Amino acid sequence: MRSVLSRTLTALALAATLGNPLYANSDIDTGAYLAARIAESENDFRAAAGWFGKAILADSANPTLLDGAILAQVGVGNFALAIDAARMRSAVAGEPSQLADLVLLADKAKREDYAGIQAASGAGRDAGDLANQLILAWAKVGEGKMSEAIQAFDAVTRTKGYEAFGYYHKALALASVGDFEGADNILSGKAAGPIVMMRRGVFARAQILSQLERNAEAIALLDRSFGTSPDPIVDAVRRRLQAGEPIPFDTVRTARDGIAEVFYTISTALNGQADPVYTLLHLRIAGYLRPELSDALLLTADVLKELGQYDLATQTYTAFPADDPAFVTAEIGRAGALRSQGKADAAIEALQALARANSGLANVQFALGDMLRGAERFDEAKQAYTAAIDLTKASNTEDWVLYFYRGIVSEQSKDWAAAEADFRRALELNPTQPQVLNYLGYGLVDRGEKLDEALGMIEKAVAGDPEQGYIIDSLAWAYFKLGRYAEALQPMERASLLEPVDPIVTDHLGDVYWMNDRRLEARFQWRRALSFQPTEKDRARILRKLEVGLDTVMAEEGAGKAQAEAPANAAVEAAENGN
């Protein structure tokens, strides 16, 4: 009886997240289930949490509903209800649930129940092979059994593909108990050869060097890894090192921190390689175990933004107070989330305020320039890009992007001389950069200037990025603008295969077909282009071509065949949109 009552109360708690009156009957259960699955497919974790909770009222032992509820509650960061749902799910006989296992493991780690973690592993609870091994090793650390823990970490280093994870976590474990010499031997590469360290690993080693009274080496490590350009997070550490302060090792302070680090480390490996929802699951657990883990919070917000959950992303970005070194990064991310919600003015205001408070940070000026460019406020964008260039001195290979985007806003402001100068400066820094070669080459063709050089640039861009449809579109369109219609045909068809629903590429294909006397195919492609939501200007031109034909349109525009005032090139639009 108590089990049934407990299950019912948990279901009511899960359902209450919806905030609506609840009636447990089969009709509402079916509707709730369908609504939950739709919300789940759209990664709308808030809605899914409510609908799954409502559906569970009528069927509290349904494993599919419980798994959905677990994932949704973790997605919104509500671990109390996620743990309740995981306990219900683990009681369901039959196929096990890795979701439930992960959440219940997180619960044990939060409570520092290291014996419980090991017992669950022995009972077959599964967090994934790498996570299982690392978490068990950290559980040994939590029990004070360092010899067994080191043996467990060493076993990970001997597993193919896991080597770097094993060494990194072994070093953190040694440092967490004060063996800084042993930790540095690993991170420096002396113990087992060089290991690749992410940003967080570099900070960990800097702390270790400081504890070994080697602050000068720690400063050199930061300079070597991050350069000397202003960075609030790096600068805060560098200032303390320069002052001779012994920086405490707090990358991992306890075994619980170590388990949080496991989930964060795995999430960074998954990011961009696996389903972002799976990455988010690991990040949320890392944040649950260690709420102040800023790296996990920032990546959590980034993944939520990638999933289109802008409200949750904004909520996460705003977790950083203004005096936190990560605040600047978080504010830039928050502005991006606001823009994605259609709140461009609010995003610009946020970045302008950030720029006023951090006038010496090039990344803030660059972000502001991007935001203003997206809002077509080109003169203001140019000022922001110029500020970023002045702050960085913009002389390194990676600085090409600053000149490239400043060139774009100059071109959009009809200042081609300034634009060309910036594009050429970008190529001085990065001579093979396909986007710059493509944009400058197309711009010159469009203006009828330096045609041989321009076509060579576009061909070089295609060679550098042969699978990029919009760059191949540039090559075809350059041939078209030069009146070389037969040569335009093959690359134009190739571009269309790579960009099958792009209105500009499809429209261009129609134009190329028309000029090669394939009139029926041309009209077919123009009609397709209309279905892909072109701009109003392009739409009007396509409709006119369908009415009277391309030759008449070109004549009306007062241009010959090779100089048609056609829609924007797809590559130009891609660059202007930041792609």
Side-chain angles (χ1 to χ4, degrees):
M1 180 68 180
R2 179 174 297 176
S3 175
V4 173
L5 177 61
S6 174
R7 186 180 293 275
T8 302
L9 290 173
T10 299
L12 285 167
L14 289 166
T17 61
L18 187 63
N20 290 329
L22 303 173
Y23 302 94
N25 62 57
S26 59
D27 289 336
I28 289 181
D29 176 63
T30 301
Y33 173 76
L34 291 174
R37 294 307 297 266
I38 291 171
E40 183 181 52
S41 71
E42 296 173 348
N43 301 312
D44 187 347
F45 301 112
R46 280 196 175 117
W51 288 116
F52 273 120
K54 189 173 184 181
I56 286 169
L57 277 176
D59 191 358
S60 61
N62 185 309
T64 300
L65 296 179
L66 290 167
D67 279 339
I70 294 167
L71 185 59
Q73 296 293 351
V74 171
V76 298
N78 191 336
F79 272 85
L81 289 178
I83 290 166
D84 285 344
R87 287 174 178 152
M88 292 171 66
R89 177 65 175 86
S90 67
V92 176
E95 186 178 342
S97 166
Q98 189 180 60
L99 268 173
D101 289 350
L102 281 166
V103 169
L104 293 176
L105 185 150
D107 176 48
K108 289 180 174 62
K110 185 77 168 180
R111 293 185 285 106
E112 300 183 292
D113 180 7
Y114 302 118
I117 288 173
Q118 294 174 78
S121 178
R125 301 299 186 186
D126 182 24
D129 186 47
L130 176 59
N132 285 338
Q133 294 186 55
L134 290 173
I135 290 168
L136 284 173
W138 278 109
K140 293 291 186 183
V141 175
E143 290 187 318
K145 300 176 180 178
M146 279 302 296
S147 295
E148 294 181 32
I150 295 303
Q151 290 175 5
F153 285 121
D154 285 341
V156 179
T157 67
R158 293 190 294 271
T159 303
K160 187 173 178 57
Y162 296 172
E163 299 91 343
F165 294 96
Y167 284 120
Y168 177 64
H169 280 272
K170 179 182 177 181
L172 297 183
L174 290 171
S176 73
V177 296
D179 185 358
F180 299 114
E181 288 282 3
D184 188 55
N185 280 338
I186 294 172
L187 296 181
S188 67
K190 293 177 184 177
I195 64 171
V196 177
M197 288 191 297
M198 304 297 286
R199 181 181 172 95
R200 187 166 172 78
V202 173
F203 284 119
R205 189 175 175 222
Q207 292 177 348
I208 289 166
L209 289 170
S210 182
Q211 285 296 301
L212 293 170
E213 300 181 356
R214 292 156 60 184
N215 277 21
E217 289 181 56
I219 294 169
L221 173 66
L222 295 180
D223 292 348
R224 189 166 61 250
S225 301
F226 306 123
T228 56
S229 297
D231 180 318
I233 299 174
V234 178
D235 292 346
V237 177
R238 187 185 283 114
R239 281 193 296 271
R240 296 171 68 186
L241 290 168
Q242 289 171 337
E245 180 181 341
I247 300 179
F249 179 77
D250 62 5
T251 302
V252 169
R253 304 159 301 183
T254 65
R256 182 171 68 189
D257 286 355
I259 295 173
E261 195 75 21
V262 169
F263 282 99
Y264 173 70
T265 304
I266 291 175
S267 74
T268 60
L270 291 172
N271 191 35
Q273 304 298 318
D275 186 329
V277 174
Y278 196 57
T279 305
L280 178 65
L281 172 66
H282 286 75
L283 286 167
R284 284 295 200 190
I285 292 175
Y288 172 63
L289 296 178
R290 194 172 181 186
E292 77 280 8
L293 186 54
S294 60
D295 292 317
L297 281 174
L298 287 171
L299 189 52
T300 297
D302 289 347
V303 173
L304 285 166
K305 190 164 62 173
E306 179 187 352
L307 290 167
Q309 299 308 300
Y310 304 117
D311 285 342
L312 287 174
T314 300
Q315 176 184 315
T316 308
Y317 285 128
T318 54
F320 294 89
D323 59 353
D324 191 307
F327 175 76
V328 169
T329 303
E331 275 295 277
I332 292 173
R334 185 175 74 88
L338 288 170
R339 178 178 60 183
S340 297
Q341 289 175 286
K343 301 175 181 177
D345 289 344
I348 290 170
E349 288 174 8
L351 288 178
Q352 286 173 330
L354 192 65
R356 287 192 294 271
N358 300 272
S359 58
L361 294 179
N363 63 329
V364 176
Q365 296 291 346
F366 182 56
L368 177 58
D370 280 352
M371 197 70 68
L372 290 164
R373 175 170 57 87
E376 299 185 0
R377 292 163 61 172
F378 299 123
D379 289 341
E380 294 171 85
K382 186 172 183 177
Q383 292 175 15
Y385 287 132
T386 299
I389 288 169
D390 291 343
L391 287 166
T392 62
K393 309 305 180 190
S395 57
N396 297 317
T397 300
E398 62 271 17
D399 293 329
W400 68 269
V401 70
L402 292 170
Y403 290 103
F404 178 53
Y405 284 131
R406 190 173 72 172
I408 288 175
V409 297
S410 291
E411 186 264 340
Q412 289 294 300
S413 299
K414 310 303 180 186
D415 186 354
W416 174 252
E420 183 178 356
D422 274 342
F423 294 146
R424 291 190 182 277
R425 177 58 178 145
L427 287 177
E428 288 176 12
L429 297 176
N430 193 342
T432 61
Q433 217 298 317
Q435 289 187 65
V436 185
L437 288 164
N438 182 55
Y439 203 110
L440 175 56
Y442 181 82
L444 291 170
V445 168
D446 198 47
R447 296 173 63 83
E449 299 175 2
K450 305 165 189 171
L451 298 180
D452 288 341
E453 180 191 19
L455 187 57
M457 286 180 177
I458 298 173
E459 290 172 338
K460 190 175 179 180
V462 171
D465 198 352
E467 297 302 313
Q468 196 64 262
Y470 68 78
I471 294 180
I472 298 172
D473 172 81
S474 279
L475 178 61
W477 203 239
Y479 286 137
F480 183 95
K481 298 284 280 184
L482 293 169
R484 294 160 62 175
Y485 305 120
E487 292 174 81
L489 189 57
Q490 188 277 332
M492 197 69 256
E493 290 179 330
R494 170 71 174 153
S496 182
L497 287 173
L498 292 169
E499 303 285 348
V501 295
D502 186 284
I504 293 175
V505 173
T506 306
D507 183 28
H508 283 179
L509 179 59
D511 288 4
V512 171
Y513 279 152
W514 183 274
M515 300 311 290
N516 280 280
D517 295 321
R518 294 166 63 171
R519 304 300 170 87
L520 289 175
E521 292 167 280
R523 292 182 182 279
F524 175 74
Q525 295 301 332
W526 290 333
R527 290 189 183 95
R528 287 185 68 239
L530 287 174
S531 70
F532 301 145
Q533 299 181 323
T535 65
E536 284 304 313
K537 178 182 177 182
D538 292 349
R539 180 180 179 82
R541 191 172 188 275
I542 293 169
L543 289 170
R544 183 62 177 159
K545 286 188 293 186
L546 284 167
E547 180 184 359
V548 299
L550 179 58
D551 296 306
T552 301
V553 169
M554 293 169 70
E556 289 173 348
E557 292 169 343
K561 287 184 177 180
Q563 296 296 325
E565 189 178 317
N569 171 256
V572 173
E573 183 179 83
E576 289 165 2
N577 291 332
N579 296 328

